[in-house]
Amino acid sequence: MNTSRIWLSLAHMGGKEQEFIKEAFETNWVVPMGPNVDGFEKDLESFLGNDVHVAALSAGTAALHLALVMLGVGAGDEVICQSFTFAASANPITYLGATPVFVDSEMDTWNMCPLQLERAIIDRISHGKKVKAIIPVHLYGMPAKMNEINAIALKYKIPVIEDAAEALGSFLDGKACGTLAESAILSFNGNKIITTSGGGAFVSHSEDETQKSRFLATQARDSAPHYQHTQIGYNYRMSNVVAGIGRGQMLVLKSRVEKRRSNNEFYRNELKSIRGVSFQTEPDNSFYSNYWLTSILIDPTLTNGKTREDLRLKLEQENIESRPLWKPMHLQPIFSDSPYYGTGISDFLFERGLCLPSGSILSDSELHRVSKVIVDFFR
Ligand SMILES: *Cc1c(COP(=O)(O)O)cnc(C)c1O
């Protein structure tokens, strides 16, 4: 094969990242704190707005773990989590000995279904269970129906943690994803909309909670010269070196979102006449997705039986990476004992859905190469 591989989503540096890293070296701030960490947190706070505070951590998974610790989640508790997501949304629940309860998606945004959420809460309460938190996810950048989810959460007095790992730069009603609940988590893993190579953040409307997350993330060290501890701590703080990458990436975040959205627009135009292909789409203009990954559904009853898997293999043959949508957590062997509330929507989406190459680094000719393979495949 002489054509170069097209990847799903690659890191895309802006150019200034190494200046911040150089500064970290020159000032010997090569530790898990320092001016880049502080600066990155400030940059995120001003981008997100809505009066949130941010603690930069080693991973989004670590941020979610700490968010659950701070809500007092422990053995025997339950945490409601969107089923249609990446495993990192659910794994931290189990770190604390709690049980994830999975809730299905709705068809509009592909995220947590408010109806199934309420059904789950009522049923868990009737079983005498304690639901300590709700974790909705903004999948592929699409904001979940947070107004409905928050209203239900308020009714039953259960705190909400937004998993905004894929949704930095997405908005609902003009408010940034990551600021739509009491707390949220972000990820800066290598394939996310911006990256620090690996990293994450805890986001909260409460300055005290954010400060507490920093405390827990640095081994819960009390303020005493002799290393005193009254709580179990973690080593989850972000390094000042990688925070330099984050500061550089914040300079280009807006243009990264624009490019991902323009990729999405491109695919929509190119594929619009293909019967049986549809897109994850903003339900109305109160939803603004960063379209981290452009995701399509293939209806084999309208494509002469051609399936998502057929297309994926065809793209692979042409040296193009694509990926099925996340396999829902209630279908994962590891979570087969966890309760699930739903009507099979995420199963349906998983069966039919495919993520297309969506990186902000993609060139026009690469996008054309992908769309041509898809158009020819269905012709
Ligand atoms: C990437 C991701 C995470 C985890 O973030 P890490 O920084 O990789 O630990 C959590 N939830 C979702 C939905 C993600 O896509």
Side-chain angles (χ1 to χ4, degrees):
M1 178 130 351
N2 52 17
T3 45
S4 61
R5 185 157 176 83
I6 297 179
W7 300 93
L8 192 72
S9 179
L10 290 180
H12 185 185
M13 292 299 107
K16 296 265 195 269
E17 290 82 2
Q18 292 195 50
E19 290 176 27
F20 291 106
I21 294 176
K22 191 157 171 268
E23 194 179 302
F25 275 71
E26 279 168 3
T27 53
N28 207 25
W29 278 104
V30 186
V31 283
M33 61 169 144
N36 281 338
V37 175
D38 298 344
F40 187 39
E41 290 176 346
K42 289 273 169 306
D43 291 345
L44 285 163
E45 285 169 0
S46 62
F47 179 86
L48 292 168
N50 211 6
D51 292 324
V52 290
H53 305 272
V54 174
L57 302 172
S58 55
T61 310
L64 190 51
H65 188 188
L66 291 187
L68 294 168
V69 167
M70 289 189 287
L71 290 175
V73 173
D77 291 335
E78 294 190 341
V79 173
I80 291 180
C81 181
Q82 182 165 321
S83 182
F84 197 33
T85 186
F86 177 49
S89 305
N91 283 337
I93 300 166
T94 69
Y95 302 168
L96 294 163
T99 302
V101 172
F102 294 113
V103 165
D104 203 3
S105 293
E106 33 78 9
M107 275 307 286
D108 297 337
T109 72
W110 302 5
N111 292 311
M112 184 179 276
C113 173
L115 295 174
Q116 296 302 324
L117 169 63
E118 184 155 27
R119 203 185 129 223
I121 295 171
I122 291 169
D123 196 54
R124 298 326 292 165
I125 293 172
S126 81
H127 282 78
K129 301 292 185 182
K130 220 171 177 166
V131 178
K132 295 294 272 292
I134 300 168
I135 307 174
V137 186
H138 309 300
L139 221 57
Y140 308 121
M142 183 65 70
K145 292 188 176 173
M146 290 303 296
N147 294 327
E148 292 83 344
I149 291 167
N150 281 332
I152 293 164
L154 190 68
K155 184 167 157 192
Y156 296 94
K157 300 192 167 53
I158 305 170
V160 175
I161 307 166
E162 271 181 278
D163 182 341
E166 301 177 1
L168 183 61
S170 297
F171 295 81
L172 180 67
D173 299 322
K175 288 187 192 131
C177 287
T179 72
L180 303 171
E182 289 96 319
S183 63
I185 68 113
L186 299 171
S187 169
F188 312 109
N189 206 341
N191 62 2
K192 297 285 156 66
I193 189 124
I194 61 164
T195 184
T196 58
S197 72
F202 172 76
V203 184
S204 173
H205 287 278
S206 156
E207 191 165 11
D208 287 349
E209 286 290 294
T210 311
Q211 196 47 44
K212 189 165 176 205
S213 76
R214 295 189 185 103
F215 164 77
L216 291 171
T218 46
Q219 308 288 19
R221 205 184 130 199
D222 295 338
S223 73
H226 49 263
Y227 281 72
Q228 173 167 295
H229 304 273
T230 48
Q231 269 187 76
I232 293 295
Y234 304 84
N235 182 6
Y236 281 171
R237 201 71 161 115
M238 181 178 277
S239 133
N240 192 58
V241 176
V242 305
I245 309 178
R247 287 180 87 182
Q249 290 271 279
M250 286 307 288
L251 299 172
V252 293
L253 172 57
K254 278 202 172 119
S255 70
R256 297 295 183 261
V257 173
E258 279 162 24
K259 172 63 168 131
R260 298 239 180 196
R261 284 180 61 87
S262 100
N263 291 344
N264 185 272
E265 189 67 34
F266 171 83
Y267 284 127
R268 271 175 212 275
N269 277 323
E270 294 294 306
L271 309 182
K272 65 173 174 255
S273 59
I274 301 176
R275 263 166 59 84
V277 172
S278 60
F279 286 77
Q280 185 192 33
T281 300
E282 293 156 348
D284 62 53
N285 61 15
S286 61
F287 291 79
Y288 183 92
S289 173
N290 66 14
Y291 283 125
W292 170 57
L293 296 184
T294 288
S295 303
I296 58 172
L297 297 180
I298 292 150
D299 178 352
T301 67
L302 300 173
T303 59
N304 291 323
K306 288 174 181 166
T307 64
R308 172 264 278 170
E309 193 55 12
D310 297 333
L311 176 60
R312 192 185 70 77
L313 293 171
K314 177 66 195 169
L315 288 163
E316 191 55 47
Q317 213 177 69
E318 300 292 332
N319 210 12
I320 296 167
E321 184 189 23
S322 64
R323 191 200 280 155
L325 303 188
W326 299 125
K327 180 172 183 174
M329 292 305 114
H330 73 275
L331 299 178
Q332 297 286 356
I334 189 69
F335 292 124
S336 59
D337 291 338
S338 293
Y340 160 71
Y341 296 83
T343 56
I345 288 179
S346 55
D347 310 52
F348 171 89
L349 293 167
F350 169 61
E351 211 172 280
R352 294 190 171 192
L354 192 69
C355 300
L356 301 179
S358 301
S360 50
I361 204 164
L362 288 173
S363 67
D364 286 354
S365 70
E366 287 175 317
L367 285 168
H368 277 105
R369 219 179 99 198
V370 177
S371 70
K372 183 165 184 330
V373 171
I374 299 173
V375 169
D376 290 349
F377 174 76
F378 285 111
R379 182 168 286 149

